[in-house]
Amino acid sequence: MAFSEEIRVRAKEIVSRYPDGKSRSALLPMLHLVQSEEGYVSSAGIAFCAETLGLTKAEVSAVATFYTMYKRRPTGDWLVSVCTNTMCDVLGGRRVYEMLSEYLDVGHDETTVDGKITLEHAECLAACDYGPVMTVNYEFFDRVDVETALGIATQLQEGKRPMPTRGARLCTLKEISLQLAGYADDRADALADGVAGEVLVEVGGVGYRVVVAPTTAVALGDVGDEVFVWVHHHVREDADTLYGFGGRDERITFEALLGAHGVGPSLALAILSVHDPVALARILAEDDVGALCLVPGVGKKTAARLLVELKSRLHIPEFDPRIGAGSRHASSANGAGTTYQPSSRTDVREALAGLGYSADEIHGATAELPDDGDASELLRRALRHLATARQG
Ligand code: FES
């Protein structure tokens, strides 16, 4: 086969990535490149690599046959690999492989008559704790059973691209070979589907699973939109998770929440799902236990404790009715500021402070007031409360 001009230009570009006299180091991407053209590494591909890199065909063949990712026979668009190693085997991997083999009517390393799917059983795919595992062109489908595996195969036969459990969206073998040759996926899409509570963000052809609040998921837009996500990388012994936010202040607040006693990523995300950073700053400044209790899983006791802890973590000044407007700006631990709009209730508290009421009296008179509403009406209610309290 004569390789296209485009492939020849790319071959030169790949060689140019290496120092003079070291062009043989370009062999691995070169093999991916020829595979991206033909769907496998043919004899012509071997000869092309040898000629381009000044190697013998025997040397190129030795490398091409050593790595399993280089296919020496025509291979389908979709390489389906089912792990049948010990752990996956115990969990049902072999049964998945056998049923796929029967359904597709092919054995190991064979391709369906329509040329679309090549099946192989694989050794450990390094994802034993998600077994049984199968991959399609190296993208993972975790914890598959016979039903889901057959469903994936059916979708591939129908020309669909089922969404992997993690990683980027599926590419054909030729497409993924081009990426492995060092050419980024040029699909414009950045935001891909994900399960509830997650989005997949593609960066340079690699998909990252990012956990987000429902509000963030909506704000990011539609699948295919270009997005910018502020990310917190959370590493624990048993987890390695990315949390994504639409703004820097959200991420700062999330990280401050994580520092509070008893607050993990799930609760921090739940708090931010209900109250954005500005609302949270106001809640803390006003000791609004009730608003914090709106977060699922947060009771009065927890809310009261969080108020105290978060105030210092987010550098929210204690509410001082004699200072009033001074509490309207909160600065986070790293200096980023969060400015919030005072509520009508805050205006009432400031007015009462101006009238000389003590902090305790103000707290009691405004505790039951709503956040917003007509400030003069709220002030009247507070004054009535204070008058009744003084008479009592
Ligand atoms: S045994 Fe299947 S991924 Fe390790």
Side-chain angles (χ1 to χ4, degrees):
M1 171 184 176
F3 286 92
S4 66
E5 186 54 28
E6 187 183 12
I7 289 293
R8 290 179 182 279
V9 169
R10 282 189 159 147
K12 278 191 190 146
E13 192 278 321
I14 288 173
V15 171
S16 73
R17 297 174 193 163
Y18 297 85
D20 287 345
K22 303 285 183 190
S23 62
R24 62 190 299 142
S25 300
L27 180 53
L28 296 187
M30 278 292 297
L31 286 166
H32 285 302
L33 183 69
V34 296
Q35 184 160 279
S36 78
E37 181 83 343
E38 296 187 275
Y40 72 111
V41 179
S42 66
S43 301
I46 295 281
F48 178 67
C49 290
E51 178 194 321
T52 306
L53 302 176
L55 297 169
T56 65
K57 287 193 244 178
E59 286 172 321
V60 176
S61 292
V63 174
T65 50
F66 179 80
Y67 293 105
T68 57
M69 71 236 287
Y70 300 121
K71 301 301 172 192
R72 296 304 319 277
R73 289 191 287 165
T75 303
D77 287 339
W78 310 109
L79 174 65
V80 175
S81 314
V82 183
C83 177
T84 51
N85 212 310
T86 311
M87 181 64 83
C88 287
D89 193 4
V90 168
L91 294 169
R94 187 166 299 277
R95 174 95 179 124
V96 169
Y97 172 80
E98 287 169 354
M99 294 311 288
L100 274 174
S101 173
E102 190 177 316
Y103 174 70
L104 296 170
D105 197 21
V106 290
H108 170 66
D109 202 20
E110 290 179 0
T111 303
T112 52
V113 276
D114 61 4
K116 283 187 178 166
I117 299 177
T118 298
L119 179 68
E120 65 177 12
H121 64 74
E123 295 305 319
C124 180
L125 292 169
C128 315
D129 43 349
Y130 299 114
V133 168
M134 65 183 260
T135 60
V136 177
N137 292 346
Y138 311 112
E139 299 296 352
F140 279 89
F141 291 84
D142 298 334
R143 297 198 176 100
V144 291
D145 55 21
V146 170
E147 194 182 337
T148 51
L150 293 182
I152 291 163
T154 307
Q155 287 188 61
L156 294 174
Q157 287 174 318
E158 291 170 351
K160 297 177 184 162
R161 299 191 182 199
M163 196 64 206
T165 313
R166 52 204 158 95
R169 288 178 299 161
L170 288 187
C171 299
T172 64
L173 189 64
K174 287 182 180 178
E175 289 168 344
I176 199 72
S177 296
L178 189 59
Q179 288 180 40
L180 291 170
Y183 293 93
D185 185 358
D186 60 3
R187 290 177 296 178
D189 304 354
L191 186 63
D193 287 319
V195 299
E198 292 176 357
V199 293
L200 283 172
V201 181
E202 278 187 30
V203 181
V206 178
Y208 294 89
R209 190 170 65 163
V210 182
V211 179
V212 294
T215 43
T216 305
V218 171
L220 286 178
D222 297 323
V223 171
D225 285 353
E226 284 191 26
V227 291
F228 186 95
V229 184
W230 293 85
V231 167
H232 171 85
H233 186 188
H234 196 71
V235 181
R236 283 191 334 209
E237 214 172 87
D238 60 342
D240 189 348
T241 311
L242 297 176
Y243 292 88
F245 306 93
R248 182 165 173 259
D249 57 339
E250 276 182 47
R251 187 180 67 178
I252 289 168
T253 306
F254 177 82
E255 288 169 347
L257 287 166
L258 286 184
H261 176 70
V263 178
S266 301
L267 182 54
L269 208 58
I271 292 172
L272 280 173
S273 299
V274 178
H275 302 299
D276 64 27
V278 173
L280 189 61
R282 180 184 57 70
I283 287 165
L284 298 178
E286 296 180 7
D287 287 335
D288 194 343
V289 173
L292 218 44
C293 287
L294 294 175
V295 178
V298 175
K300 269 195 169 174
K301 261 188 172 175
T302 308
R305 178 174 53 74
L306 284 178
L307 277 178
V308 177
E309 275 201 57
L310 294 178
K311 267 186 192 176
S312 64
R313 293 197 173 278
L314 288 167
H315 293 224
I316 306 280
E318 285 294 330
F319 176 77
D320 185 344
R322 288 158 303 178
I323 297 172
S327 64
R328 293 180 185 197
H329 186 81
S331 65
S332 61
N334 71 357
T338 299
T339 304
Y340 66 93
Q341 283 298 316
S343 64
S344 298
R345 187 164 65 163
T346 302
D347 289 339
V348 171
R349 297 172 101 177
E350 290 173 7
L352 293 177
L355 290 170
Y357 288 99
S358 71
D360 278 353
E361 284 177 310
I362 295 170
H363 188 74
T366 57
E368 301 297 321
L369 294 182
D371 280 343
D372 292 309
D374 181 47
S376 54
E377 172 54 26
L378 296 184
L379 180 59
R380 266 195 291 278
R381 282 173 58 181
L383 288 170
R384 272 200 297 274
H385 180 281
L386 285 164
T388 308
R390 285 195 171 177
Q391 281 166 8

